[in-house]
mmCIF file of all heavy atoms in Angstrom:
data_model
loop_
_atom_site.group_PDB
_atom_site.id
_atom_site.type_symbol
_atom_site.label_atom_id
_atom_site.label_comp_id
_atom_site.label_asym_id
_atom_site.label_seq_id
_atom_site.Cartn_x
_atom_site.Cartn_y
_atom_site.Cartn_z
ATOM 1 N N ARG A 281 -76.620 -50.592 83.039
ATOM 2 C CA ARG A 281 -75.268 -50.785 82.522
ATOM 3 C C ARG A 281 -74.560 -51.947 83.228
ATOM 4 O O ARG A 281 -73.807 -52.694 82.598
ATOM 5 C CB ARG A 281 -74.435 -49.512 82.655
ATOM 6 C CG ARG A 281 -73.037 -49.651 82.042
ATOM 7 C CD ARG A 281 -72.266 -48.361 82.100
ATOM 8 N NE ARG A 281 -72.892 -47.331 81.281
ATOM 9 C CZ ARG A 281 -72.657 -47.177 79.971
ATOM 10 N NH1 ARG A 281 -71.833 -47.998 79.356
ATOM 11 N NH2 ARG A 281 -73.259 -46.228 79.300
ATOM 12 N N LYS A 282 -74.797 -52.088 84.515
ATOM 13 C CA LYS A 282 -74.174 -53.176 85.251
ATOM 14 C C LYS A 282 -74.524 -54.521 84.625
ATOM 15 O O LYS A 282 -73.687 -55.437 84.559
ATOM 16 C CB LYS A 282 -74.631 -53.133 86.720
ATOM 17 C CG LYS A 282 -74.004 -54.194 87.600
ATOM 18 C CD LYS A 282 -74.502 -54.059 89.038
ATOM 19 C CE LYS A 282 -73.923 -55.151 89.938
ATOM 20 N NZ LYS A 282 -74.445 -55.025 91.332
ATOM 21 N N ALA A 283 -75.765 -54.646 84.161
ATOM 22 C CA ALA A 283 -76.187 -55.881 83.503
ATOM 23 C C ALA A 283 -75.492 -56.043 82.158
ATOM 24 O O ALA A 283 -75.057 -57.146 81.794
ATOM 25 C CB ALA A 283 -77.704 -55.877 83.327
ATOM 26 N N LEU A 284 -75.378 -54.949 81.406
ATOM 27 C CA LEU A 284 -74.672 -55.003 80.127
ATOM 28 C C LEU A 284 -73.221 -55.402 80.307
ATOM 29 O O LEU A 284 -72.657 -56.166 79.505
ATOM 30 C CB LEU A 284 -74.742 -53.643 79.418
ATOM 31 C CG LEU A 284 -76.041 -53.274 78.717
ATOM 32 C CD1 LEU A 284 -75.943 -51.864 78.156
ATOM 33 C CD2 LEU A 284 -76.351 -54.265 77.587
ATOM 34 N N GLU A 285 -72.603 -54.879 81.329
ATOM 35 C CA GLU A 285 -71.200 -55.207 81.581
ATOM 36 C C GLU A 285 -71.033 -56.690 81.904
ATOM 37 O O GLU A 285 -69.989 -57.273 81.614
ATOM 38 C CB GLU A 285 -70.670 -54.345 82.727
ATOM 39 C CG GLU A 285 -70.505 -52.877 82.344
ATOM 40 C CD GLU A 285 -70.136 -51.997 83.526
ATOM 41 O OE1 GLU A 285 -70.251 -52.478 84.692
ATOM 42 O OE2 GLU A 285 -69.742 -50.834 83.299
ATOM 43 N N GLN A 286 -72.062 -57.282 82.476
ATOM 44 C CA GLN A 286 -71.984 -58.703 82.805
ATOM 45 C C GLN A 286 -72.210 -59.587 81.582
ATOM 46 O O GLN A 286 -71.472 -60.561 81.372
ATOM 47 C CB GLN A 286 -73.004 -59.058 83.885
ATOM 48 C CG GLN A 286 -72.979 -60.534 84.269
ATOM 49 C CD GLN A 286 -74.016 -60.882 85.314
ATOM 50 O OE1 GLN A 286 -74.678 -60.015 85.880
ATOM 51 N NE2 GLN A 286 -74.164 -62.166 85.598
ATOM 52 N N VAL A 287 -73.235 -59.264 80.772
ATOM 53 C CA VAL A 287 -73.617 -60.179 79.680
ATOM 54 C C VAL A 287 -73.059 -59.773 78.325
ATOM 55 O O VAL A 287 -73.081 -60.558 77.381
ATOM 56 C CB VAL A 287 -75.159 -60.301 79.581
ATOM 57 C CG1 VAL A 287 -75.745 -60.699 80.924
ATOM 58 C CG2 VAL A 287 -75.800 -59.014 79.072
ATOM 59 N N GLY A 288 -72.549 -58.553 78.209
ATOM 60 C CA GLY A 288 -72.039 -58.074 76.935
ATOM 61 C C GLY A 288 -73.057 -57.238 76.185
ATOM 62 O O GLY A 288 -74.251 -57.211 76.523
ATOM 63 N N LEU A 289 -72.596 -56.550 75.161
ATOM 64 C CA LEU A 289 -73.457 -55.658 74.381
ATOM 65 C C LEU A 289 -74.286 -56.442 73.367
ATOM 66 O O LEU A 289 -74.318 -57.675 73.386
ATOM 67 C CB LEU A 289 -72.598 -54.598 73.694
ATOM 68 C CG LEU A 289 -71.674 -53.778 74.602
ATOM 69 C CD1 LEU A 289 -70.992 -52.675 73.810
ATOM 70 C CD2 LEU A 289 -72.427 -53.200 75.789
ATOM 71 N N LEU A 290 -74.957 -55.726 72.495
ATOM 72 C CA LEU A 290 -75.746 -56.370 71.443
ATOM 73 C C LEU A 290 -74.835 -57.216 70.547
ATOM 74 O O LEU A 290 -73.704 -56.828 70.248
ATOM 75 C CB LEU A 290 -76.463 -55.324 70.599
ATOM 76 C CG LEU A 290 -77.514 -54.475 71.314
ATOM 77 C CD1 LEU A 290 -77.949 -53.329 70.427
ATOM 78 C CD2 LEU A 290 -78.710 -55.308 71.724
ATOM 79 N N ASP A 291 -75.332 -58.365 70.133
ATOM 80 C CA ASP A 291 -74.572 -59.262 69.265
ATOM 81 C C ASP A 291 -74.544 -58.678 67.857
ATOM 82 O O ASP A 291 -75.582 -58.545 67.200
ATOM 83 C CB ASP A 291 -75.232 -60.639 69.261
ATOM 84 C CG ASP A 291 -74.418 -61.678 68.497
ATOM 85 O OD1 ASP A 291 -73.604 -61.301 67.632
ATOM 86 O OD2 ASP A 291 -74.611 -62.881 68.761
ATOM 87 N N GLU A 292 -73.358 -58.341 67.371
ATOM 88 C CA GLU A 292 -73.226 -57.659 66.088
ATOM 89 C C GLU A 292 -73.336 -58.600 64.890
ATOM 90 O O GLU A 292 -73.216 -58.152 63.741
ATOM 91 C CB GLU A 292 -71.923 -56.865 66.064
ATOM 92 C CG GLU A 292 -71.920 -55.750 67.104
ATOM 93 C CD GLU A 292 -70.671 -54.873 67.067
ATOM 94 O OE1 GLU A 292 -69.811 -55.086 66.169
ATOM 95 O OE2 GLU A 292 -70.556 -53.984 67.930
ATOM 96 N N ASP A 293 -73.560 -59.888 65.135
ATOM 97 C CA ASP A 293 -73.885 -60.791 64.024
ATOM 98 C C ASP A 293 -75.240 -60.438 63.423
ATOM 99 O O ASP A 293 -75.505 -60.714 62.254
ATOM 100 C CB ASP A 293 -73.910 -62.246 64.500
ATOM 101 C CG ASP A 293 -72.516 -62.812 64.719
ATOM 102 O OD1 ASP A 293 -71.546 -62.198 64.234
ATOM 103 O OD2 ASP A 293 -72.400 -63.856 65.380
ATOM 104 N N TYR A 294 -76.109 -59.821 64.244
ATOM 105 C CA TYR A 294 -77.416 -59.373 63.758
ATOM 106 C C TYR A 294 -77.251 -58.000 63.127
ATOM 107 O O TYR A 294 -76.700 -57.091 63.745
ATOM 108 C CB TYR A 294 -78.417 -59.251 64.908
ATOM 109 C CG TYR A 294 -78.694 -60.527 65.664
ATOM 110 C CD1 TYR A 294 -77.955 -60.852 66.793
ATOM 111 C CD2 TYR A 294 -79.715 -61.385 65.268
ATOM 112 C CE1 TYR A 294 -78.213 -62.009 67.516
ATOM 113 C CE2 TYR A 294 -79.983 -62.548 65.993
ATOM 114 C CZ TYR A 294 -79.228 -62.854 67.106
ATOM 115 O OH TYR A 294 -79.485 -63.993 67.812
ATOM 116 N N PHE A 295 -77.755 -57.830 61.918
ATOM 117 C CA PHE A 295 -77.744 -56.503 61.295
ATOM 118 C C PHE A 295 -78.926 -55.687 61.809
ATOM 119 O O PHE A 295 -78.792 -54.525 62.187
ATOM 120 C CB PHE A 295 -77.816 -56.631 59.770
ATOM 121 C CG PHE A 295 -77.784 -55.303 59.060
ATOM 122 C CD1 PHE A 295 -76.583 -54.651 58.827
ATOM 123 C CD2 PHE A 295 -78.959 -54.701 58.628
ATOM 124 C CE1 PHE A 295 -76.543 -53.419 58.186
ATOM 125 C CE2 PHE A 295 -78.932 -53.470 57.986
ATOM 126 C CZ PHE A 295 -77.719 -52.834 57.766
ATOM 127 N N MET A 296 -80.074 -56.315 61.816
ATOM 128 C CA MET A 296 -81.298 -55.677 62.288
ATOM 129 C C MET A 296 -82.309 -56.795 62.555
ATOM 130 O O MET A 296 -82.379 -57.752 61.776
ATOM 131 C CB MET A 296 -81.841 -54.701 61.233
ATOM 132 C CG MET A 296 -83.031 -53.876 61.674
ATOM 133 S SD MET A 296 -83.379 -52.499 60.528
ATOM 134 C CE MET A 296 -83.620 -53.375 58.982
ATOM 135 N N TYR A 297 -83.036 -56.683 63.646
ATOM 136 C CA TYR A 297 -84.000 -57.684 64.110
ATOM 137 C C TYR A 297 -83.273 -58.826 64.835
ATOM 138 O O TYR A 297 -82.237 -59.302 64.382
ATOM 139 C CB TYR A 297 -84.859 -58.261 62.973
ATOM 140 C CG TYR A 297 -85.517 -57.215 62.131
ATOM 141 C CD1 TYR A 297 -85.186 -57.074 60.786
ATOM 142 C CD2 TYR A 297 -86.451 -56.343 62.670
ATOM 143 C CE1 TYR A 297 -85.779 -56.092 60.006
ATOM 144 C CE2 TYR A 297 -87.044 -55.358 61.900
ATOM 145 C CZ TYR A 297 -86.690 -55.235 60.568
ATOM 146 O OH TYR A 297 -87.270 -54.266 59.803
ATOM 147 N N GLY A 298 -83.848 -59.249 65.936
ATOM 148 C CA GLY A 298 -83.333 -60.392 66.679
ATOM 149 C C GLY A 298 -82.355 -60.056 67.783
ATOM 150 O O GLY A 298 -82.238 -60.803 68.761
ATOM 151 N N GLU A 299 -81.656 -58.914 67.654
ATOM 152 C CA GLU A 299 -80.655 -58.586 68.676
ATOM 153 C C GLU A 299 -81.290 -58.272 70.025
ATOM 154 O O GLU A 299 -80.700 -58.522 71.079
ATOM 155 C CB GLU A 299 -79.757 -57.427 68.223
ATOM 156 C CG GLU A 299 -80.468 -56.126 67.921
ATOM 157 C CD GLU A 299 -81.166 -56.108 66.583
ATOM 158 O OE1 GLU A 299 -80.492 -56.157 65.535
ATOM 159 O OE2 GLU A 299 -82.409 -56.023 66.588
ATOM 160 N N ASP A 300 -82.499 -57.727 70.011
ATOM 161 C CA ASP A 300 -83.185 -57.455 71.276
ATOM 162 C C ASP A 300 -83.609 -58.750 71.965
ATOM 163 O O ASP A 300 -83.510 -58.872 73.194
ATOM 164 C CB ASP A 300 -84.398 -56.535 71.060
ATOM 165 C CG ASP A 300 -85.351 -57.012 69.970
ATOM 166 O OD1 ASP A 300 -85.023 -57.999 69.264
ATOM 167 O OD2 ASP A 300 -86.422 -56.407 69.811
ATOM 168 N N ILE A 301 -84.053 -59.734 71.181
ATOM 169 C CA ILE A 301 -84.414 -61.030 71.742
ATOM 170 C C ILE A 301 -83.175 -61.702 72.329
ATOM 171 O O ILE A 301 -83.191 -62.225 73.442
ATOM 172 C CB ILE A 301 -85.051 -61.931 70.663
ATOM 173 C CG1 ILE A 301 -86.305 -61.269 70.089
ATOM 174 C CG2 ILE A 301 -85.383 -63.304 71.240
ATOM 175 C CD1 ILE A 301 -86.903 -62.026 68.913
ATOM 176 N N ASP A 302 -82.099 -61.663 71.572
ATOM 177 C CA ASP A 302 -80.849 -62.283 72.004
ATOM 178 C C ASP A 302 -80.355 -61.677 73.320
ATOM 179 O O ASP A 302 -80.012 -62.390 74.263
ATOM 180 C CB ASP A 302 -79.800 -62.106 70.907
ATOM 181 C CG ASP A 302 -78.452 -62.690 71.288
ATOM 182 O OD1 ASP A 302 -78.249 -63.886 71.067
ATOM 183 O OD2 ASP A 302 -77.602 -61.938 71.813
ATOM 184 N N LEU A 303 -80.335 -60.339 73.408
ATOM 185 C CA LEU A 303 -79.864 -59.676 74.623
ATOM 186 C C LEU A 303 -80.800 -59.968 75.792
ATOM 187 O O LEU A 303 -80.345 -60.212 76.918
ATOM 188 C CB LEU A 303 -79.749 -58.170 74.399
ATOM 189 C CG LEU A 303 -79.292 -57.334 75.601
ATOM 190 C CD1 LEU A 303 -77.962 -57.843 76.157
ATOM 191 C CD2 LEU A 303 -79.185 -55.856 75.221
ATOM 192 N N SER A 304 -82.099 -59.952 75.552
ATOM 193 C CA SER A 304 -83.063 -60.258 76.613
ATOM 194 C C SER A 304 -82.817 -61.649 77.191
ATOM 195 O O SER A 304 -82.824 -61.838 78.414
ATOM 196 C CB SER A 304 -84.493 -60.186 76.069
ATOM 197 O OG SER A 304 -84.835 -58.878 75.659
ATOM 198 N N CYS A 305 -82.576 -62.617 76.320
ATOM 199 C CA CYS A 305 -82.358 -63.987 76.782
ATOM 200 C C CYS A 305 -81.039 -64.122 77.533
ATOM 201 O O CYS A 305 -80.950 -64.858 78.527
ATOM 202 C CB CYS A 305 -82.402 -64.949 75.596
ATOM 203 S SG CYS A 305 -84.049 -65.126 74.871
ATOM 204 N N ARG A 306 -80.016 -63.399 77.098
ATOM 205 C CA ARG A 306 -78.741 -63.441 77.812
ATOM 206 C C ARG A 306 -78.871 -62.836 79.207
ATOM 207 O O ARG A 306 -78.245 -63.300 80.163
ATOM 208 C CB ARG A 306 -77.652 -62.732 77.005
ATOM 209 C CG ARG A 306 -77.164 -63.550 75.813
ATOM 210 C CD ARG A 306 -75.951 -62.928 75.166
ATOM 211 N NE ARG A 306 -76.284 -61.822 74.303
ATOM 212 C CZ ARG A 306 -75.716 -60.630 74.348
ATOM 213 N NH1 ARG A 306 -74.795 -60.364 75.262
ATOM 214 N NH2 ARG A 306 -76.069 -59.674 73.504
ATOM 215 N N LEU A 307 -79.684 -61.792 79.324
ATOM 216 C CA LEU A 307 -79.939 -61.208 80.645
ATOM 217 C C LEU A 307 -80.635 -62.216 81.556
ATOM 218 O O LEU A 307 -80.257 -62.390 82.721
ATOM 219 C CB LEU A 307 -80.787 -59.942 80.507
ATOM 220 C CG LEU A 307 -80.092 -58.716 79.911
ATOM 221 C CD1 LEU A 307 -81.116 -57.634 79.563
ATOM 222 C CD2 LEU A 307 -79.051 -58.148 80.878
ATOM 223 N N LEU A 308 -81.649 -62.888 81.028
ATOM 224 C CA LEU A 308 -82.353 -63.894 81.818
ATOM 225 C C LEU A 308 -81.415 -65.029 82.223
ATOM 226 O O LEU A 308 -81.430 -65.488 83.372
ATOM 227 C CB LEU A 308 -83.534 -64.450 81.029
ATOM 228 C CG LEU A 308 -84.697 -63.498 80.736
ATOM 229 C CD1 LEU A 308 -85.732 -64.202 79.865
ATOM 230 C CD2 LEU A 308 -85.341 -63.002 82.018
ATOM 231 N N ASN A 309 -80.599 -65.475 81.291
ATOM 232 C CA ASN A 309 -79.683 -66.577 81.574
ATOM 233 C C ASN A 309 -78.670 -66.207 82.659
ATOM 234 O O ASN A 309 -78.179 -67.081 83.383
ATOM 235 C CB ASN A 309 -78.937 -66.991 80.307
ATOM 236 C CG ASN A 309 -79.845 -67.619 79.268
ATOM 237 O OD1 ASN A 309 -80.957 -68.052 79.575
ATOM 238 N ND2 ASN A 309 -79.394 -67.664 78.025
ATOM 239 N N ALA A 310 -78.363 -64.914 82.770
ATOM 240 C CA ALA A 310 -77.402 -64.455 83.780
ATOM 241 C C ALA A 310 -78.066 -64.164 85.124
ATOM 242 O O ALA A 310 -77.381 -63.754 86.070
ATOM 243 C CB ALA A 310 -76.681 -63.206 83.271
ATOM 244 N N GLY A 311 -79.375 -64.375 85.216
ATOM 245 C CA GLY A 311 -80.071 -64.198 86.488
ATOM 246 C C GLY A 311 -80.779 -62.874 86.669
ATOM 247 O O GLY A 311 -81.377 -62.618 87.724
ATOM 248 N N TRP A 312 -80.753 -62.003 85.660
ATOM 249 C CA TRP A 312 -81.473 -60.737 85.735
ATOM 250 C C TRP A 312 -82.946 -60.959 85.404
ATOM 251 O O TRP A 312 -83.312 -61.936 84.758
ATOM 252 C CB TRP A 312 -80.878 -59.721 84.764
ATOM 253 C CG TRP A 312 -79.483 -59.301 85.116
ATOM 254 C CD1 TRP A 312 -78.325 -59.825 84.619
ATOM 255 C CD2 TRP A 312 -79.094 -58.281 86.040
ATOM 256 N NE1 TRP A 312 -77.237 -59.196 85.178
ATOM 257 C CE2 TRP A 312 -77.682 -58.244 86.055
ATOM 258 C CE3 TRP A 312 -79.801 -57.396 86.863
ATOM 259 C CZ2 TRP A 312 -76.970 -57.361 86.853
ATOM 260 C CZ3 TRP A 312 -79.101 -56.514 87.665
ATOM 261 C CH2 TRP A 312 -77.697 -56.497 87.661
#
């Protein structure tokens, strides 16, 4: 959760597919 609080939740522009890739990359970009 600490990581989610830093980078934000799933991007709701995605209806289905791609949101996991997007969140994974945001975590990496934030240093996780």
Side-chain angles (χ1 to χ4, degrees):
R281 184 176 295 274
K282 182 179 178 181
L284 283 176
E285 289 173 347
Q286 180 181 352
V287 306
L289 305 186
L290 296 170
D291 186 337
E292 296 183 4
D293 285 345
Y294 299 92
F295 181 82
M296 186 167 58
Y297 308 116
E299 60 282 294
D300 52 353
I301 301 174
D302 178 86
L303 179 55
S304 295
C305 291
R306 285 189 281 130
L307 288 168
L308 293 176
N309 293 342
W312 294 95

